Amino acid sequence: MILNNSSRYSKLTIARHCLIMIGVFIFLSCSDDVTVVEEEMVLEVEIVEEEIEETTEPEEEVVVEEEQIEGVDFFLPNIDLSNWKVTLPIGSPDEVEPPEILDYAINERLIPYMYNDSTDGSLVFYTTPGSSTANSSYSRTELREQMVPGSNNTNWTFAEGGRMMGTLSVPEISTDASGNFHRTLVMQIHGRLTNDQRDLIGEDDNNAPPMLKIYWQKGKVRVLTKKLKDLNATDEEILHTDAWEDNEGHTFSEDIGIHTFNLEIIASDGRLEIILNENESVVYEDIHMQKWSVFENYFKAGNYLQTLDAGASAKVKYYDLEVTH
């Protein structure tokens, strides 16, 4: 009885083992199939992704232009030209008045002689011997004050007063045959006859002498004013240009060379003061200034080269220029 039960138990054990082996075989077979299917799916996904990558167009590169900033990337002069005209060393000579002068940066006539230097914020006045005005032999690229834009007929007297301030330099100027620098006028107060005065003395134009001339000369600032040849001259005789002559002049002690400097001119009733760099000045307050009160006046600023030498030239740079009355 015991033997029969043992035999039955052995058969059952063998059967269980067979079933377990069959189950394992089936599981492994199914796992292999799943792995194959998964590998095929991954491969298809990779192929699709490759196709997408191959067909994707590259994005266009966007170039952003950086905005230039005044005072950082470039500099402009602090000069309002609304009340100035300029005379050029060309033509008979040529002049450019407001409002045309306001577009000087794109004016082809002006560009060779009057233009911006954006590296230092200056307005450059370049000149060389060429055309001259009726009362001079020398050429200029020079501003002339116009209290009424476009008109020369409104001017000022010393009794009314005037003040001009400028920051400037003379970085380039030629030399003569002896190697000495030429000189150039950088500022003026010019006299003008009224129409009645012009007619009284029988002149063809309204020109009167310049009361003040300021030169760049040998690296220094030199000032000349006018004085009467005859203090007993009549009111009519005073109106003639030949009644006046240059005084002995004054040369400031500071050697400014090609460096930037400041000039201030203050004209008032019977008095004229010129100040260099706010620390050195010369004052004229005498009978000659009192007698000068009969004339009208206007300011001038720029580059009035005082030579006819072939090949001569000069550059004057203005950084600031301001006039008040």
Side-chain angles (χ1 to χ4, degrees), residues 130-268:
S131 299
S132 61
T133 57
N135 299 294
S136 174
S137 301
Y138 303 127
S139 301
R140 68 187 82 195
T141 304
E142 187 181 34
L143 296 173
R144 192 270 199 212
E145 179 190 12
Q146 290 187 321
M147 298 182 74
V148 175
S151 172
N152 294 336
N153 295 324
T154 302
N155 303 282
W156 53 274
T157 64
F158 269 49
E160 294 168 332
R163 175 176 172 268
M164 180 163 71
M165 292 183 65
T167 303
L168 62 151
S169 67
V170 183
E172 296 180 27
I173 192 164
S174 53
T175 57
D176 60 22
S178 300
N180 297 314
F181 286 110
H182 291 120
R183 67 176 183 167
T184 187
L185 266 168
V186 296
M187 284 186 178
Q188 295 188 72
I189 293 178
H190 212 290
R192 190 177 190 277
L193 298 169
T194 65
N195 291 341
D196 288 342
Q197 290 171 337
R198 177 198 64 198
D199 296 341
L200 177 64
I201 62 175
E203 287 291 342
D204 296 330
D205 57 35
N206 297 84
N207 188 64
M211 167 44 76
L212 172 67
K213 297 183 288 186
I214 303 181
Y215 296 89
W216 183 97
Q217 181 173 319
K218 298 179 180 179
K220 293 192 174 185
V221 174
R222 179 163 173 76
V223 175
L224 286 178
T225 62
K226 291 296 182 187
K227 65 179 183 179
L228 271 172
K229 295 176 182 178
D230 180 7
L231 290 177
N232 296 315
T234 66
D235 291 345
E236 180 179 339
E237 289 172 339
I238 287 174
L239 299 176
H240 292 270
T241 297
D242 58 10
W244 298 84
E245 63 182 356
D246 288 338
N247 68 356
E248 64 280 3
H250 173 81
T251 301
F252 286 102
S253 61
E254 184 176 352
D255 189 350
I256 50 103
I258 62 172
H259 304 294
T260 302
F261 59 97
N262 298 311
L263 278 176
E264 183 176 5
I265 301 169
I266 304 172
S268 56

Side-chain angles (χ1 to χ4, degrees), residues 8 17 21 44 84 122 133-134 140 149 165 210 236 283 307 313:
R8 187 178 300 140
H17 282 294
M21 292 179 64
E44 289 178 359
W84 297 96
S122 64
T133 57
R140 68 187 82 195
M165 292 183 65
E236 180 179 339
V283 177
T307 182
S313 66

Side-chain angles (χ1 to χ4, degrees), residues 12-157:
L12 289 174
T13 300
I14 293 170
R16 287 193 189 99
H17 282 294
C18 290
L19 288 172
I20 289 170
M21 292 179 64
I22 292 170
V24 170
F25 177 78
I26 292 170
F27 173 79
L28 291 175
S29 298
C30 291
S31 297
D32 290 341
D33 292 340
V34 170
T35 302
V36 170
V37 170
E38 288 178 350
E39 290 177 351
E40 290 177 352
M41 290 176 65
V42 171
L43 183 60
E44 289 178 359
V45 171
E46 290 178 349
I47 292 172
V48 170
E49 288 179 350
E50 288 177 359
E51 290 176 354
I52 292 173
E53 290 177 358
E54 290 176 358
T55 57
T56 301
E57 294 183 359
E59 295 183 1
E60 293 184 4
E61 183 179 355
V62 178
V63 178
V64 179
E65 293 185 1
E66 293 185 4
E67 182 180 358
Q68 289 192 323
I69 302 173
E70 182 182 349
V72 177
D73 302 301
F74 65 94
F75 303 85
L76 293 177
N78 183 29
I79 299 174
D80 182 2
L81 294 171
S82 300
N83 291 90
W84 297 96
K85 74 172 183 178
V86 65
T87 302
L88 304 175
I90 56 173
S92 58
D94 285 355
E95 294 184 340
V96 178
E97 297 184 334
E100 184 183 358
I101 194 174
L102 301 179
D103 295 324
Y104 69 92
I106 57 174
N107 188 313
E108 292 185 0
R109 271 197 304 163
L110 283 171
I111 286 172
Y113 306 104
M114 178 178 158
Y115 56 88
N116 287 335
D117 183 345
S118 61
T119 64
D120 61 4
S122 64
L123 179 57
V124 182
F125 296 89
Y126 170 78
T127 198
T128 188
S131 299
S132 61
T133 57
N135 299 294
S136 174
S137 301
Y138 303 127
S139 301
R140 68 187 82 195
T141 304
E142 187 181 34
L143 296 173
R144 192 270 199 212
E145 179 190 12
Q146 290 187 321
M147 298 182 74
V148 175
S151 172
N152 294 336
N153 295 324
T154 302
N155 303 282
W156 53 274
T157 64

